Amino acid sequence: AEAPAPATTDSAASGSRKYLARPLVKDIYTADPSAHVFNGRIYIYPSHDIETGMPENDNGDHFAMRDYHILSMDSIGGKVTDHGVALDTKDISWAGRQLWAPDAAYKNGTYYLYFPVKDKQDVFRIGVATSTSPTGPFKAQPQPIPGSLSIDPAVFTDTDGKTYMYMGGIWGGQLQRWRTGKYDASKPKEQEPGPQEKALGPKMARLTDDMLTFAEPVKEVQILGQDGKPFLSGDNKHRFFEGGWLHKYNGKYYFSYSTGDTHLLVYATGDSPYGPFTYQGVLMNPVEGWTTHHSIVEVNGKWYIFYHDTELSGKTWLRNVKVTELKRRPDGSIETINP
Ligand code: FUB
Protein backbone atom coordinates (compact mmCIF):
# COMPACT_ATOMS: atom_id res chain seq x y z
CA ALA A 1 0.00 0.00 0.00
CA GLU A 2 1.18 3.49 -0.74
CA ALA A 3 1.75 6.13 1.94
CA PRO A 4 -1.16 8.56 2.39
CA ALA A 5 -1.04 11.57 0.12
CA PRO A 6 -0.71 14.76 2.19
CA ALA A 7 -0.94 17.19 -0.69
CA THR A 8 -1.96 17.21 -4.30
CA THR A 9 -1.33 19.78 -6.95
CA ASP A 10 -3.37 19.90 -10.07
CA SER A 11 -0.75 20.91 -12.58
CA ALA A 12 -2.62 19.47 -15.52
CA ALA A 13 -4.11 21.14 -18.50
CA SER A 14 -5.30 17.87 -19.92
CA GLY A 15 -5.27 17.40 -23.63
CA SER A 16 -2.99 20.37 -24.26
CA ARG A 17 0.74 20.97 -24.04
CA LYS A 18 0.24 23.64 -21.36
CA TYR A 19 1.51 21.46 -18.53
CA LEU A 20 4.94 21.09 -20.10
CA ALA A 21 7.75 23.16 -18.62
CA ARG A 22 5.60 24.31 -15.65
CA PRO A 23 6.56 23.63 -12.02
CA LEU A 24 5.10 20.22 -11.15
CA VAL A 25 4.50 21.20 -7.53
CA LYS A 26 4.31 24.62 -5.96
CA ASP A 27 3.80 23.93 -2.26
CA ILE A 28 7.33 22.62 -1.68
CA TYR A 29 10.61 23.29 -3.50
CA THR A 30 11.98 20.30 -5.42
CA ALA A 31 15.05 19.67 -7.59
CA ASP A 32 17.14 16.94 -9.26
CA PRO A 33 14.16 14.86 -10.43
CA SER A 34 14.90 11.19 -11.17
CA ALA A 35 11.81 9.85 -12.89
CA HIS A 36 10.78 6.22 -13.36
CA VAL A 37 7.70 4.33 -14.45
CA PHE A 38 6.81 1.58 -11.99
CA ASN A 39 3.65 -0.49 -12.61
CA GLY A 40 2.43 2.03 -15.18
CA ARG A 41 2.64 5.05 -12.83
CA ILE A 42 5.23 7.84 -13.03
CA TYR A 43 7.29 8.34 -9.85
CA ILE A 44 9.66 11.26 -9.37
CA TYR A 45 12.47 11.05 -6.83
CA PRO A 46 13.63 14.65 -6.30
CA SER A 47 15.72 16.55 -3.78
CA HIS A 48 13.58 18.57 -1.35
CA ASP A 49 15.01 22.10 -1.26
CA ILE A 50 14.59 24.14 1.92
CA GLU A 51 15.68 27.53 3.22
CA THR A 52 18.28 27.08 5.99
CA GLY A 53 20.11 30.41 5.84
CA MET A 54 23.42 28.71 4.99
CA PRO A 55 25.73 31.05 3.04
CA GLU A 56 25.94 30.52 -0.73
CA ASN A 57 29.33 29.18 -1.88
CA ASP A 58 30.98 27.00 -4.55
CA ASN A 59 30.90 24.01 -2.20
CA GLY A 60 27.10 24.13 -2.25
CA ASP A 61 26.71 24.55 1.52
CA HIS A 62 23.45 26.38 0.83
CA PHE A 63 21.98 23.11 -0.47
CA ALA A 64 21.31 21.84 3.04
CA MET A 65 18.43 19.51 2.36
CA ARG A 66 17.21 17.13 5.08
CA ASP A 67 14.57 14.80 3.66
CA TYR A 68 12.93 13.46 0.52
CA HIS A 69 9.36 13.69 -0.71
CA ILE A 70 8.40 11.44 -3.60
CA LEU A 71 5.99 12.71 -6.24
CA SER A 72 3.83 10.63 -8.55
CA MET A 73 1.34 11.03 -11.37
CA ASP A 74 -0.58 8.65 -13.57
CA SER A 75 0.32 10.45 -16.81
CA ILE A 76 2.39 13.37 -18.02
CA GLY A 77 0.14 16.33 -17.34
CA GLY A 78 -1.89 14.39 -14.78
CA LYS A 79 -2.49 15.37 -11.16
CA VAL A 80 0.75 15.32 -9.15
CA THR A 81 0.68 13.68 -5.72
CA ASP A 82 3.23 14.55 -3.03
CA HIS A 83 3.56 11.43 -0.86
CA GLY A 84 5.14 13.21 2.12
CA VAL A 85 8.43 12.39 3.84
CA ALA A 86 9.91 9.14 2.48
CA LEU A 87 13.32 9.32 4.19
CA ASP A 88 14.80 11.78 6.68
CA THR A 89 18.48 12.40 7.48
CA LYS A 90 17.75 11.72 11.15
CA ASP A 91 16.87 8.12 10.22
CA ILE A 92 20.20 7.49 8.44
CA SER A 93 22.56 6.40 11.23
CA TRP A 94 25.79 7.36 9.42
CA ALA A 95 24.59 10.66 7.92
CA GLY A 96 25.90 14.10 8.69
CA ARG A 97 24.38 16.73 6.43
CA GLN A 98 23.13 17.56 2.92
CA LEU A 99 20.77 15.01 1.44
CA TRP A 100 21.32 15.60 -2.28
CA ALA A 101 20.03 14.23 -5.59
CA PRO A 102 18.61 10.67 -5.25
CA ASP A 103 17.60 7.94 -7.66
CA ALA A 104 15.51 4.79 -7.35
CA ALA A 105 15.17 1.29 -8.76
CA TYR A 106 12.84 -1.70 -8.44
CA LYS A 107 13.67 -5.39 -8.29
CA ASN A 108 11.76 -8.46 -7.12
CA GLY A 109 9.15 -6.67 -5.01
CA THR A 110 11.52 -4.16 -3.39
CA TYR A 111 12.08 -0.49 -4.21
CA TYR A 112 15.59 0.88 -3.68
CA LEU A 113 16.27 4.54 -2.98
CA TYR A 114 19.89 5.58 -3.61
CA PHE A 115 20.95 8.81 -1.94
CA PRO A 116 24.10 10.90 -1.49
CA VAL A 117 24.67 12.48 1.90
CA LYS A 118 27.78 13.68 3.73
CA ASP A 119 28.87 11.31 6.48
CA LYS A 120 29.85 12.54 9.91
CA GLN A 121 33.37 13.37 8.57
CA ASP A 122 31.74 15.59 5.87
CA VAL A 123 32.58 13.18 3.04
CA PHE A 124 29.84 12.48 0.48
CA ARG A 125 28.92 8.79 0.27
CA ILE A 126 26.05 7.01 -1.37
CA GLY A 127 23.58 5.10 0.70
CA VAL A 128 20.68 2.84 -0.12
CA ALA A 129 17.30 2.48 1.56
CA THR A 130 14.56 -0.04 0.83
CA SER A 131 10.78 -0.19 0.87
CA THR A 132 7.97 -2.38 -0.40
CA SER A 133 6.30 0.76 -1.80
CA PRO A 134 7.69 3.11 -4.48
CA THR A 135 6.76 6.04 -2.24
CA GLY A 136 8.32 4.69 0.95
CA PRO A 137 8.77 5.09 3.81
CA PHE A 138 12.30 3.85 3.08
CA LYS A 139 14.60 2.20 5.62
CA ALA A 140 18.26 3.07 5.20
CA GLN A 141 21.00 0.45 5.40
CA PRO A 142 23.28 1.00 8.44
CA GLN A 143 26.35 1.87 6.31
CA PRO A 144 26.94 3.68 3.01
CA ILE A 145 27.63 1.46 -0.01
CA PRO A 146 31.28 0.37 0.39
CA GLY A 147 33.43 2.06 -2.25
CA SER A 148 30.78 4.70 -3.02
CA LEU A 149 31.84 8.31 -3.34
CA SER A 150 30.73 11.77 -4.33
CA ILE A 151 27.16 12.61 -5.39
CA ASP A 152 24.35 12.19 -7.92
CA PRO A 153 23.76 8.43 -8.12
CA ALA A 154 21.91 7.42 -11.30
CA VAL A 155 20.86 3.80 -11.57
CA PHE A 156 20.24 2.07 -14.88
CA THR A 157 18.91 -1.46 -15.39
CA ASP A 158 19.77 -2.92 -18.76
CA THR A 159 17.54 -5.21 -20.81
CA ASP A 160 19.58 -8.21 -19.54
CA GLY A 161 18.60 -7.33 -15.93
CA LYS A 162 22.05 -6.06 -14.88
CA THR A 163 21.97 -2.81 -12.92
CA TYR A 164 24.67 -0.12 -12.93
CA MET A 165 25.23 2.98 -10.83
CA TYR A 166 26.81 6.14 -12.25
CA MET A 167 27.92 8.78 -9.75
CA GLY A 168 30.04 11.83 -9.24
CA GLY A 169 30.24 15.59 -9.31
CA ILE A 170 33.13 18.04 -9.04
CA TRP A 171 33.49 21.12 -6.77
CA GLY A 172 30.92 20.65 -3.94
CA GLY A 173 30.44 17.06 -5.15
CA GLN A 174 34.05 16.38 -4.01
CA LEU A 175 35.16 14.26 -7.01
CA GLN A 176 38.45 16.20 -7.28
CA ARG A 177 39.29 15.01 -3.77
CA TRP A 178 39.39 11.37 -4.95
CA ARG A 179 42.03 11.80 -7.66
CA THR A 180 44.49 9.46 -5.97
CA GLY A 181 41.81 6.89 -5.17
CA LYS A 182 41.79 8.02 -1.53
CA TYR A 183 39.78 10.97 -0.17
CA ASP A 184 41.95 14.08 0.25
CA ALA A 185 40.12 16.81 2.17
CA SER A 186 42.82 19.36 1.31
CA LYS A 187 41.61 19.53 -2.32
CA PRO A 188 39.27 22.47 -2.81
CA LYS A 189 37.34 22.93 -6.03
CA GLU A 190 40.26 24.83 -7.53
CA GLN A 191 42.14 21.55 -7.56
CA GLU A 192 40.32 20.15 -10.50
CA PRO A 193 43.09 18.97 -12.84
CA GLY A 194 44.86 21.85 -14.65
CA PRO A 195 43.16 23.17 -17.81
CA GLN A 196 45.44 21.13 -20.10
CA GLU A 197 45.03 17.91 -18.09
CA LYS A 198 42.38 15.29 -18.79
CA ALA A 199 39.06 16.19 -17.14
CA LEU A 200 37.75 14.10 -14.26
CA GLY A 201 35.12 11.62 -15.37
CA PRO A 202 32.06 10.28 -13.57
CA LYS A 203 32.42 6.93 -11.80
CA MET A 204 30.40 3.77 -12.22
CA ALA A 205 30.02 0.20 -11.01
CA ARG A 206 27.63 -2.69 -11.53
CA LEU A 207 25.41 -3.44 -8.56
CA THR A 208 25.21 -6.87 -6.94
CA ASP A 209 22.05 -8.91 -7.52
CA ASP A 210 20.67 -7.78 -4.13
CA MET A 211 21.09 -4.14 -5.31
CA LEU A 212 22.81 -3.17 -2.05
CA THR A 213 26.53 -3.13 -2.93
CA PHE A 214 28.91 -2.87 -5.87
CA ALA A 215 29.75 -6.09 -7.70
CA GLU A 216 33.07 -4.72 -8.96
CA PRO A 217 35.60 -1.97 -8.25
CA VAL A 218 34.41 1.53 -9.12
CA LYS A 219 35.73 2.68 -12.53
CA GLU A 220 35.95 6.01 -14.29
CA VAL A 221 33.59 6.52 -17.25
CA GLN A 222 35.41 7.73 -20.38
CA ILE A 223 33.76 10.60 -22.24
CA LEU A 224 35.41 11.38 -25.57
CA GLY A 225 35.10 14.24 -28.03
CA GLN A 226 34.19 13.59 -31.67
CA ASP A 227 37.97 13.42 -32.29
CA GLY A 228 38.16 10.35 -30.03
CA LYS A 229 40.19 12.17 -27.37
CA PRO A 230 39.07 12.67 -23.76
CA PHE A 231 37.97 16.22 -22.86
CA LEU A 232 40.46 18.44 -21.09
CA SER A 233 39.62 19.94 -17.73
CA GLY A 234 39.74 23.47 -19.19
CA ASP A 235 37.08 22.57 -21.77
CA ASN A 236 34.22 23.41 -19.45
CA LYS A 237 31.57 23.51 -22.20
CA HIS A 238 32.04 19.76 -22.69
CA ARG A 239 33.64 18.19 -19.66
CA PHE A 240 31.62 16.31 -17.04
CA PHE A 241 30.61 18.35 -13.99
CA GLU A 242 27.76 16.44 -12.26
CA GLY A 243 24.30 14.96 -12.69
CA GLY A 244 24.95 11.94 -14.94
CA TRP A 245 22.06 9.87 -16.34
CA LEU A 246 22.05 6.78 -18.54
CA HIS A 247 19.25 5.66 -20.83
CA LYS A 248 19.09 3.24 -23.74
CA TYR A 249 17.41 3.92 -27.07
CA ASN A 250 17.48 1.62 -30.10
CA GLY A 251 20.30 -0.44 -28.62
CA LYS A 252 22.55 2.63 -27.98
CA TYR A 253 23.52 3.86 -24.52
CA TYR A 254 23.07 7.61 -23.96
CA PHE A 255 25.06 9.14 -21.12
CA SER A 256 23.90 12.70 -20.39
CA TYR A 257 25.27 15.12 -17.81
CA SER A 258 25.59 18.72 -16.66
CA THR A 259 28.60 20.86 -17.55
CA GLY A 260 28.01 22.85 -14.32
CA ASP A 261 29.73 26.19 -14.62
CA THR A 262 28.74 26.50 -18.30
CA HIS A 263 25.16 25.55 -17.38
CA LEU A 264 24.49 23.06 -20.18
CA LEU A 265 23.03 19.57 -20.29
CA VAL A 266 24.91 17.56 -22.92
CA TYR A 267 24.95 13.95 -24.06
CA ALA A 268 27.32 11.32 -25.37
CA THR A 269 26.58 7.86 -26.78
CA GLY A 270 28.24 4.45 -26.61
CA ASP A 271 27.76 0.75 -27.30
CA SER A 272 28.03 -0.51 -23.73
CA PRO A 273 26.86 0.69 -20.29
CA TYR A 274 30.58 0.91 -19.45
CA GLY A 275 31.24 3.36 -22.29
CA PRO A 276 33.32 4.89 -23.68
CA PHE A 277 30.77 7.54 -24.62
CA THR A 278 31.33 9.91 -27.52
CA TYR A 279 30.04 13.47 -27.23
CA GLN A 280 27.04 14.22 -29.47
CA GLY A 281 25.74 17.65 -28.50
CA VAL A 282 23.72 19.90 -26.22
CA LEU A 283 20.54 18.44 -24.77
CA MET A 284 19.32 21.56 -23.02
CA ASN A 285 20.47 25.17 -23.01
CA PRO A 286 20.82 27.00 -19.66
CA VAL A 287 17.76 27.31 -17.43
CA GLU A 288 16.92 30.07 -14.97
CA GLY A 289 19.16 29.33 -11.97
CA TRP A 290 22.81 28.29 -11.71
CA THR A 291 22.36 24.89 -13.28
CA THR A 292 19.91 22.08 -13.80
CA HIS A 293 19.86 18.33 -13.16
CA HIS A 294 17.83 15.92 -15.24
CA SER A 295 16.51 12.45 -15.93
CA ILE A 296 15.19 10.95 -19.15
CA VAL A 297 12.35 8.44 -19.20
CA GLU A 298 10.03 6.78 -21.69
CA VAL A 299 6.32 7.02 -20.91
CA ASN A 300 3.85 5.29 -23.23
CA GLY A 301 6.19 5.38 -26.20
CA LYS A 302 7.18 9.05 -25.81
CA TRP A 303 10.37 10.31 -24.23
CA TYR A 304 10.49 13.05 -21.58
CA ILE A 305 13.17 14.97 -19.74
CA PHE A 306 12.58 15.94 -16.12
CA TYR A 307 14.70 18.87 -14.91
CA HIS A 308 14.55 21.88 -12.60
CA ASP A 309 14.90 25.63 -12.66
CA THR A 310 14.23 28.44 -10.19
CA GLU A 311 11.06 29.92 -11.68
CA LEU A 312 9.13 29.92 -8.40
CA SER A 313 11.74 31.46 -6.08
CA GLY A 314 14.44 33.12 -8.18
CA LYS A 315 16.91 31.55 -5.70
CA THR A 316 19.53 28.96 -6.74
CA TRP A 317 18.87 26.77 -3.72
CA LEU A 318 15.03 26.80 -3.91
CA ARG A 319 14.24 25.01 -7.14
CA ASN A 320 11.18 23.50 -8.82
CA VAL A 321 10.97 20.39 -10.98
CA LYS A 322 9.50 20.40 -14.47
CA VAL A 323 9.05 18.04 -17.40
CA THR A 324 9.17 18.54 -21.13
CA GLU A 325 9.20 16.33 -24.19
CA LEU A 326 12.46 15.01 -25.62
CA LYS A 327 12.50 14.89 -29.40
CA ARG A 328 14.82 12.74 -31.49
CA ARG A 329 15.75 12.95 -35.11
CA PRO A 330 15.47 9.78 -37.24
CA ASP A 331 19.18 9.02 -36.62
CA GLY A 332 18.58 8.95 -32.83
CA SER A 333 20.25 12.30 -32.14
CA ILE A 334 18.40 14.56 -29.71
CA GLU A 335 17.05 18.01 -30.55
CA THR A 336 18.40 20.75 -28.26
CA ILE A 337 15.77 22.04 -25.85
CA ASN A 338 15.58 25.78 -25.19
CA PRO A 339 13.88 25.82 -21.81
O1 FUB B 1 20.83 19.37 -5.29
C1 FUB B 1 22.16 19.43 -4.92
C2 FUB B 1 23.06 19.36 -6.11
O2 FUB B 1 22.78 20.41 -7.02
C3 FUB B 1 22.91 18.11 -6.94
O3 FUB B 1 23.51 16.98 -6.36
C4 FUB B 1 23.53 18.57 -8.19
O4 FUB B 1 23.34 17.72 -9.28
C5 FUB B 1 22.91 19.93 -8.36
O5 FUB B 1 21.64 19.85 -8.93
Side-chain angles (χ1 to χ4, degrees), residues 12-275:
S14 246
S16 80
R17 290 172 54 91
K18 271 193 187 162
Y19 57 82
L20 291 172
R22 306 265 173 205
L24 286 174
V25 285
K26 293 187 173 174
D27 29 20
I28 59 169
Y29 292 110
T30 53
D32 309 323
S34 291
H36 293 273
V37 178
F38 295 132
N39 281 326
R41 190 168 172 87
I42 305 162
Y43 293 90
I44 307 163
Y45 297 82
S47 299
H48 175 200
D49 284 358
I50 48 168
E51 181 64 84
T52 61
M54 288 295 280
E56 203 175 340
N57 59 31
D58 283 343
N59 275 334
D61 284 340
H62 48 305
F63 296 106
M65 297 85 95
R66 297 189 186 124
D67 64 23
Y68 294 126
H69 283 223
I70 292 156
L71 311 176
S72 75
M73 50 195 184
D74 59 10
S75 60
I76 300 285
K79 187 151 97 179
V80 179
T81 301
D82 172 352
H83 294 271
V85 176
L87 180 67
D88 194 301
T89 319
K90 69 175 168 41
D91 299 320
I92 306 167
S93 58
W94 54 273
R97 62 182 181 129
Q98 295 182 290
L99 202 52
W100 282 14
D103 194 14
Y106 170 79
K107 187 172 180 181
N108 294 342
T110 301
Y111 293 87
Y112 298 85
L113 180 67
Y114 298 95
F115 57 88
V117 69
K118 283 181 177 162
D119 64 15
K120 296 191 195 300
Q121 286 71 47
D122 235 23
V123 180
F124 267 117
R125 302 279 182 183
I126 295 171
V128 54
T130 57
S131 175
T132 52
S133 160
T135 56
F138 284 87
K139 188 168 168 36
Q141 294 287 303
Q143 302 291 338
I145 297 176
S148 68
L149 59 138
S150 196
I151 58 167
D152 292 354
V155 175
F156 165 76
T157 299
D158 207 345
T159 32
D160 63 3
K162 291 191 176 128
T163 302
Y164 304 87
M165 181 185 290
Y166 301 81
M167 67 201 121
I170 58 174
W171 294 19
Q174 302 180 336
L175 202 51
Q176 70 281 357
R177 296 182 172 178
W178 288 96
R179 285 175 70 182
T180 61
K182 284 217 160 93
Y183 184 78
D184 180 352
S186 71
K187 294 263 187 281
K189 75 160 178 70
E190 293 76 15
Q191 295 196 7
E192 271 187 77
Q196 293 305 318
E197 289 179 64
K198 186 174 112 41
L200 294 171
K203 306 278 190 181
M204 70 160 301
R206 187 165 67 79
L207 290 172
T208 46
D209 286 345
D210 66 6
M211 306 286 275
L212 298 177
T213 56
F214 296 145
E216 56 191 11
V218 168
K219 301 177 211 17
E220 183 167 299
V221 178
Q222 297 303 319
I223 303 172
L224 310 174
Q226 292 272 338
D227 60 2
K229 294 187 186 147
F231 289 125
L232 299 180
S233 189
D235 185 0
N236 64 349
K237 282 198 171 155
H238 299 105
R239 64 95 169 83
F240 173 81
F241 190 98
E242 65 183 10
W245 185 261
L246 194 93
H247 77 277
K248 191 176 184 182
Y249 175 77
N250 270 355
K252 276 246 173 256
Y253 298 85
Y254 288 65
F255 184 76
S256 41
Y257 57 96
S258 165
T259 61
D261 53 347
T262 50
H263 318 293
L264 300 168
L265 291 181
V266 299
Y267 75 103
T269 58
D271 296 322
S272 151
Y274 288 100

